[in-house]
Amino acid sequence: MLNLIVTALLPVFLVLALGYFAGKRKLVDNQNVSSLNVLLMQFALPLTLFVSIAKTPQTVIFQNGPLALVLALGLVITYAVVGWTQRKFFGLSLGDAAVETLTIAFPNFASIGLPLLLPIFGPQAALSVAIAIAVGSVTISPMTLALLELDKARKADTGHSVSASRQFLIALGHSVRKPIFVGPMLGLVVALIGFHLPALVATALGPITAATAGIGLFLTGLMLSAQTIKITGDVVFGTTVKNVLQPLLVFGLAKLLGLPPAIAAQAALLTAIPAGFFGLVFGASSGTKTPVAGATLIISSVSGIVTLAVAIMLLAPK
């Protein structure tokens, strides 16, 4: 078991540390990471998810429907509760609350999912990670983009011309046109219609898809190096929800729905992954900088060394 934990976690946190070191030493600019973000979110990750899903047999896709359901419930419930808490108890503005809520509710599937699950569950884990990212991309990501658009309109005093519901629909339309959504959805269509993806396609895309996990981890470490750490009650709350309560919620939902132990274990381990950087990226693109989200990202990632090790001990196949 110790060897399994080390095998799963060492590559993850080593590359995170390399990105952090590069940013702190100014070897790579940690303030302007848009180019790396474009590489990951518009090319490497969408292509990796497309290939992973498109190569999956139709029957396997249907078998993973319950995993998608329990992940969707876990992410949306967490998002709703945390978002309400940010506004009601911590007094964050609409934009800041949206960024912090997405940081907490959307685990770092993009960077940590593949290198974490592959050593534990094998090659089929790539589909689970793709499903997890797709679920977050079509549920809580559009919600966040809509809230940020609404907050920007209110600050500019232009919200009177467009209703909140209309702005939400506009933001939703923008979100579903992004490569991070189109890639996995296109792969899903290919798989469901039973089209056999030529091996040459996967081979041709191999150089960039093979680098996806490393790029994501390095980028996360780079972004962490630019954050200021100020531990507040909100940061402690967010880290506890993300690293402990969300995986417990998802595991409980899986048991309640009567899902097989293997699916319950994968769902819980996926949501045990620390906070993700999508919130910071979305916030930066709309001009919203939320210090509490950066601190939550750091504390969640660091404490994830312990919480992920515990999750692997409890959930990995014996």
Side-chain angles (χ1 to χ4, degrees):
M1 181 58 68
L2 178 61
N3 183 61
L4 178 61
I5 293 173
V6 172
T7 301
L9 295 185
L10 183 60
V12 170
F13 288 101
L14 177 59
V15 181
L16 276 173
L18 288 175
Y20 188 87
F21 173 80
K24 277 297 184 184
R25 294 297 300 269
K26 304 302 180 183
L27 300 174
V28 181
D29 188 355
N30 61 4
Q31 298 296 327
N32 300 294
V33 297
S34 57
S35 295
L36 277 175
N37 185 58
V38 167
L39 174 60
L40 177 68
M41 303 300 292
Q42 296 194 35
F43 293 96
L45 190 55
L47 289 172
T48 299
L49 297 178
F50 166 74
V51 172
S52 298
I53 298 178
K55 289 169 56 180
T56 304
Q58 190 182 76
T59 54
V60 177
I61 295 287
F62 288 123
Q63 289 171 0
N64 280 274
L67 175 64
L69 174 62
V70 75
L71 286 173
L73 288 173
L75 267 60
V76 170
I77 291 173
T78 302
Y79 190 92
V81 173
V82 171
W84 180 80
T85 305
Q86 294 301 317
R87 296 282 282 162
K88 182 72 173 181
F89 290 99
F90 293 108
L92 268 61
S93 68
L94 183 61
D96 287 347
V99 171
E100 171 70 350
T101 300
L102 188 66
T103 301
I104 296 168
F106 201 162
N108 201 353
F109 297 139
S111 298
I112 298 179
L114 287 174
L116 176 68
L117 262 65
L118 287 178
I120 300 173
F121 295 103
Q124 69 272 18
L127 177 62
S128 300
V129 175
I131 289 172
I133 296 174
V135 166
S137 298
V138 301
T139 55
I140 57 178
S141 286
M143 292 181 196
T144 303
L145 290 170
L147 292 173
L148 287 169
E149 289 286 340
L150 182 58
D151 184 58
K152 182 187 289 188
R154 287 178 176 177
K155 289 178 178 177
D157 197 27
T158 60
H160 61 277
S161 60
V162 181
S163 68
S165 59
R166 175 63 176 166
Q167 287 187 337
F168 182 87
L169 291 175
I170 292 172
L172 187 63
H174 291 161
S175 178
V176 298
R177 292 199 296 269
K178 292 182 181 294
I180 192 62
F181 175 83
V182 174
M185 289 302 102
L186 184 59
L188 183 62
V189 170
V190 170
L192 289 179
I193 65 176
F195 178 77
H196 181 69
L197 189 71
L200 183 60
V201 174
T203 301
L205 295 174
I208 191 167
T209 57
T212 299
I215 295 171
L217 289 169
F218 189 89
L219 175 61
T220 302
L222 195 61
M223 294 182 69
L224 289 176
S225 71
Q227 305 303 315
T228 300
I229 304 178
K230 184 179 180 182
I231 301 178
T232 63
D234 198 353
V235 172
V236 173
F237 166 78
T239 300
T240 303
V241 170
K242 171 76 271 321
N243 291 27
V244 180
L245 299 183
Q246 190 182 44
L248 287 176
L249 168 66
V250 168
F251 190 76
L253 288 171
K255 290 298 185 181
L256 184 65
L257 295 173
L259 301 188
I263 293 180
Q266 286 196 40
L269 193 53
L270 277 165
T271 47
I273 290 173
F277 58 83
F278 280 15
L280 293 177
V281 172
F282 289 172
S285 66
S286 67
T288 302
K289 294 185 177 181
T290 311
V292 68
T296 300
L297 182 62
I298 291 178
I299 301 303
S300 175
S301 298
V302 172
S303 59
I305 298 174
V306 175
T307 56
L308 270 180
V310 172
I312 292 171
M313 287 177 56
L314 296 174
L315 299 169
K318 301 298 188 289

